[in-house]
Amino acid sequence: MSGPLAVMTVLLAEVAAGGAVVMWATGIWGHVRRGFFLLSGVVVTVFAWGAWATGRAGVRAARLEHGAEAVPGGDAMVASLLVFALLLTVWQVVMLTSREPLSKVVGLVATAAGPIALVLVAISRSDRVGLAVAEVMFGALFLGSTLYGLLLGHWYIFERRLSNTHMMRGARWYVAGVVAAVGAAALSAMNPAPALGGFSPFLAVPGFSLYLALGLVSVCALIAGFVWKLADEGGRSIQAATGLFYLAVIMAFSAEMAAKFRFF
């Protein structure tokens, strides 16, 4: 599997799995109203279904062009993405109809399926599997922490009395995500450069995608510093931090896309 469908499958799966894991890892359950988990859950569910759709289309396209064995492990990858998306969907239904502890249990089970799907996405590359797994995990932390920060910042509009402790915790996760993005770019540099002329003539320049990824991650690092400072101030500064997360989402997604051009 290669080309735009392959790249988008990786990115969408990273957002879905990373967003779900970071959401639970921050320990915010029980400190915000259930609506935050409905909002976040719907967002990651949409991304999960997108990853399944593009993954299935990518595997089919590769097999039509190169034969039935063109994507080893492709069926397992598509199946895992489907299970992940279905579990997230079930979780949202349970969230709307049930209370704790069932909704929490189902949410954790659905979230656990995300990293498993990411591993199978990495294995579909069929070579340098260990590095591939590390790449997608780093990318998931980067994109997931960015998405979480954006959604949490907006939630402060609805819960104005919410302590800035949670935004600070989100800022720390975002800093960790930026560090992980540097690691993902470094691992990407170890992959052979593919022919990218079909994407853009600029990407055909040797090493351009890697330089682009590092440049965008540098911008994200600058944003991370401001987000940390603003979140620590609390009050209206959290709104400013949320505004910066808009830019962070654009930069993070673009950086990870540039890095993943070398993935397959």
Side-chain angles (χ1 to χ4, degrees), residues 1 69-73 120-130 132 263-264:
M1 188 168 66
E69 301 301 323
V71 187
L120 292 175
V121 169
I123 291 175
S124 70
R125 192 171 78 173
S126 76
D127 64 328
R128 304 182 306 283
V129 173
F263 187 76
F264 288 103

Side-chain angles (χ1 to χ4, degrees), residues 124-235:
S124 70
R125 192 171 78 173
S126 76
D127 64 328
R128 304 182 306 283
V129 173
L131 295 179
V133 172
E135 279 189 68
V136 297
M137 292 302 176
F138 285 159
L141 176 56
F142 182 35
L143 297 181
S145 61
T146 306
L147 176 65
Y148 174 80
L150 178 67
L151 295 176
L152 179 63
H154 281 84
W155 196 251
Y156 275 84
I157 299 174
F158 300 96
E159 293 196 45
R160 296 184 181 274
R161 296 183 179 180
L162 187 64
S163 169
N164 72 320
T165 300
H166 303 291
M167 194 65 177
M168 273 300 300
R169 195 172 297 164
R172 295 189 190 101
W173 275 94
Y174 178 57
V175 171
V178 172
V179 174
V182 175
L187 291 175
S188 177
M190 301 172 64
N191 298 327
L196 295 171
F199 283 91
S200 166
F202 293 106
L203 295 177
V205 177
F208 181 86
S209 63
L210 180 61
Y211 298 140
L212 178 60
L214 289 172
L216 293 170
V217 170
S218 298
V219 176
C220 290
L222 180 63
I223 294 172
F226 282 106
V227 166
W228 184 298
K229 174 63 175 176
L230 291 168
D232 191 38
E233 293 177 358

Side-chain angles (χ1 to χ4, degrees), residues 6-259:
V7 174
M8 289 306 300
T9 298
V10 175
L11 292 179
L12 294 173
E14 286 179 347
V15 175
V21 169
V22 171
M23 176 177 56
W24 285 103
T26 56
I28 201 171
W29 179 272
H31 296 281
V32 293
R33 285 182 285 180
R34 191 169 51 157
F36 175 74
F37 282 84
L38 284 169
L39 170 66
S40 302
V42 167
V43 172
V44 296
T45 300
V46 170
F47 276 103
W49 280 111
W52 168 75
T54 54
R56 183 181 65 168
V59 169
R60 287 182 175 179
R63 287 175 174 172
L64 285 174
E65 183 175 355
H66 301 291
E69 301 301 323
V71 187
D75 292 333
M77 178 194 73
V78 173
S80 68
L81 290 172
L82 177 59
V83 169
F84 180 39
L86 285 172
L87 286 174
L88 286 175
T89 303
V90 171
W91 176 41
Q92 292 308 291
V93 174
V94 172
M95 284 284 292
L96 289 170
T97 59
S98 303
R99 299 287 179 178
E100 289 189 74
L102 181 59
S103 56
K104 183 177 182 180
V105 171
V106 176
L108 289 171
V109 171
T111 299
I116 297 173
L118 279 182
V119 170
L120 292 175
V121 169
I123 291 175
S124 70
R125 192 171 78 173
S126 76
D127 64 328
R128 304 182 306 283
V129 173
L131 295 179
V133 172
E135 279 189 68
V136 297
M137 292 302 176
F138 285 159
L141 176 56
F142 182 35
L143 297 181
S145 61
T146 306
L147 176 65
Y148 174 80
L150 178 67
L151 295 176
L152 179 63
H154 281 84
W155 196 251
Y156 275 84
I157 299 174
F158 300 96
E159 293 196 45
R160 296 184 181 274
R161 296 183 179 180
L162 187 64
S163 169
N164 72 320
T165 300
H166 303 291
M167 194 65 177
M168 273 300 300
R169 195 172 297 164
R172 295 189 190 101
W173 275 94
Y174 178 57
V175 171
V178 172
V179 174
V182 175
L187 291 175
S188 177
M190 301 172 64
N191 298 327
L196 295 171
F199 283 91
S200 166
F202 293 106
L203 295 177
V205 177
F208 181 86
S209 63
L210 180 61
Y211 298 140
L212 178 60
L214 289 172
L216 293 170
V217 170
S218 298
V219 176
C220 290
L222 180 63
I223 294 172
F226 282 106
V227 166
W228 184 298
K229 174 63 175 176
L230 291 168
D232 191 38
E233 293 177 358
R236 294 185 178 180
S237 294
I238 289 180
Q239 298 177 17
T242 305
L244 286 174
F245 267 116
Y246 277 105
L247 180 60
V249 166
I250 297 172
M251 296 294 104
F253 196 86
S254 300
E256 186 62 12
M257 178 180 290

